[in-house]
Amino acid sequence: MKDVVYNSLHNRWLRLLAAVVGEFVAALALNLFIVPLNLYSGGLMGLCQLIRTLLQTKLGLNFGSTDVAGILYFLSNVPILLLAYKTLGKAMTFKTVICTISFSFFYSIIPIPQTPIVDDYLTACLLGGILVGVSSGIVLTCGGSGGGLDIVGLCLSKRGSQFTVGKFSLTFNFFLYAACLILFVPEVAIYSVIYNFFTSMVLDRMHQQNVSVQALIFTKEDEKALGRFIIEKLGRGVTYWEGTGAYSGKGIHVLMVCLSKFEIEELLHAVHEIDPHAFTSVQERVRVYGNFQRKLE
């Protein structure tokens, strides 16, 4: 059963399918809980929603039953994808294009209830924030992105910036919601901020590539085989030294490597294959400085 989960987690097409499903859940949560209350999503989608509202209220344009924000979102992602192509790489760009098209499509076709399903603002923000945060985190973990500020945040993260994807979104949204505060009633801006806060916190928890971990592996088998796997397959550096078991008094090999939370599953699987009796200690959310590559796929 464990091997089935592992293979599913690292299968290219299953991960792409999971990312598309994640986009569907994100669009569903927005249209069911956030949009009916006239609240605004964060990031580029929030900006597109704001532009849509201004076009309707200030210019008197009528788009019928179509939420033009989804179309604006897709069009605005085109130049961002072109600019970020070199940083993201071909595989990541392909997945991002698929995810962006999927999200824009789902957002445009999922009907928005005439009356809110949940009329309590705080409850709607909590439900919407959790669902969107979890689904967006799944998309990022599967090597994709819904576009918009996620791409900019990922580029900053890969280049070693202190900004995480969630923190960058919070910074942008400060200015977005300041505009909402000026243009609309205070409740719209306040509850939109609360929704975005829940989304960003859950997203940072779910985005496993953004979580650095340190693994210590204790094995009596050939430590060079594990070292080669870490270097060649994971693309990570590894340090190993000789130790002595206090109970047995026998020699033991100790390997230390820093990697992302997503990669740890692949490492544990390899350790079990090479030495089923190995002992592995994993510490999450360690601070890593210097020459440490943040991978997006």
Side-chain angles (χ1 to χ4, degrees):
M1 180 65 182
K2 200 170 184 179
D3 287 340
V4 173
V5 174
Y6 169 81
N7 292 330
S8 299
L9 186 65
H10 291 272
N11 182 280
R12 176 185 177 185
W13 297 110
L14 287 177
R15 290 176 66 193
L16 182 59
L17 176 61
V20 172
V21 172
E23 296 295 1
F24 170 76
V25 174
L28 184 68
L30 270 175
N31 283 358
L32 292 184
F33 299 111
I34 304 304
V35 177
L37 294 175
N38 295 317
L39 301 181
Y40 291 85
S41 177
L44 188 60
M45 172 52 77
L47 181 61
C48 292
Q49 291 173 326
L50 180 61
I51 293 173
R52 173 253 288 149
T53 301
L54 293 177
L55 290 175
Q56 292 174 328
T57 58
K58 303 299 182 182
L59 299 181
L61 298 180
N62 184 9
F63 303 104
S65 58
T66 302
D67 191 341
V68 75
I71 300 173
L72 292 174
Y73 181 75
F74 174 75
L75 294 176
S76 59
N77 268 288
V78 174
I80 295 178
L81 282 169
L82 292 175
L83 290 173
Y85 175 77
K86 290 184 178 180
T87 301
L88 297 177
K90 187 179 296 184
M92 180 69 177
T93 302
F94 170 75
K95 293 177 184 176
T96 301
V97 170
I98 296 298
C99 291
T100 303
I101 293 174
S102 299
F103 178 79
S104 301
F105 175 73
F106 292 138
Y107 182 86
S108 300
I109 66 168
I110 294 176
I112 300 172
Q114 294 297 322
T115 57
I117 296 177
V118 179
D119 55 6
D120 179 71
Y121 278 81
L122 188 58
T123 303
C125 290
L126 178 60
L127 290 173
I130 291 176
L131 287 174
V132 173
V134 169
S135 56
S136 298
I138 291 173
V139 172
L140 291 172
T141 300
C142 290
S145 168
L149 295 188
D150 283 355
I151 302 176
V152 182
L154 284 170
C155 291
L156 290 174
S157 178
K158 188 172 183 179
R159 292 181 179 181
S161 172
Q162 294 300 313
F163 274 111
T164 63
V165 177
K167 288 178 181 178
F168 178 78
S169 297
L170 283 173
T171 303
F172 179 90
N173 289 331
F174 171 81
F175 296 99
L176 174 66
Y177 292 135
C180 291
L181 184 62
I182 296 172
L183 295 170
F184 311 115
V185 295
E187 288 78 8
V188 170
I190 292 172
Y191 283 108
S192 295
V193 169
I194 293 174
Y195 155 73
N196 185 68
F197 176 80
F198 286 134
T199 302
S200 298
M201 293 301 101
V202 176
L203 172 58
D204 267 354
R205 285 285 181 179
M206 287 294 299
H207 184 203
Q208 298 187 68
Q209 287 96 331
N210 201 46
V211 179
S212 300
V213 302
Q214 175 182 284
L216 290 173
I217 306 166
F218 302 84
T219 177
K220 296 179 181 179
E221 301 298 329
D222 183 9
E223 80 284 3
K224 293 182 179 179
L226 275 172
R228 284 194 301 270
F229 173 83
I230 294 171
I231 295 171
E232 296 173 5
K233 300 298 183 181
L234 298 181
R236 297 295 188 184
V238 59
T239 301
Y240 54 83
W241 60 89
E242 301 300 322
T244 303
Y247 178 77
S248 64
K250 297 181 179 180
I252 193 170
H253 309 295
V254 184
L255 297 87
M256 191 275 286
V257 59
C258 289
L259 62 171
S260 72
K261 186 177 179 181
F262 178 74
E263 293 170 315
I264 196 64
E265 295 296 332
E266 193 168 356
L267 175 63
L268 294 176
H269 187 269
V271 170
H272 180 74
E273 289 291 321
I274 296 173
D275 181 9
H277 303 291
F279 173 77
T280 305
S281 172
V282 178
Q283 181 181 357
E284 291 187 9
R285 297 195 174 273
V286 296
R287 293 179 178 269
V288 183
Y289 301 96
N291 186 22
F292 179 74
Q293 183 182 9
R294 296 185 182 275
K295 300 180 180 179
L296 304 182
E297 299 179 46

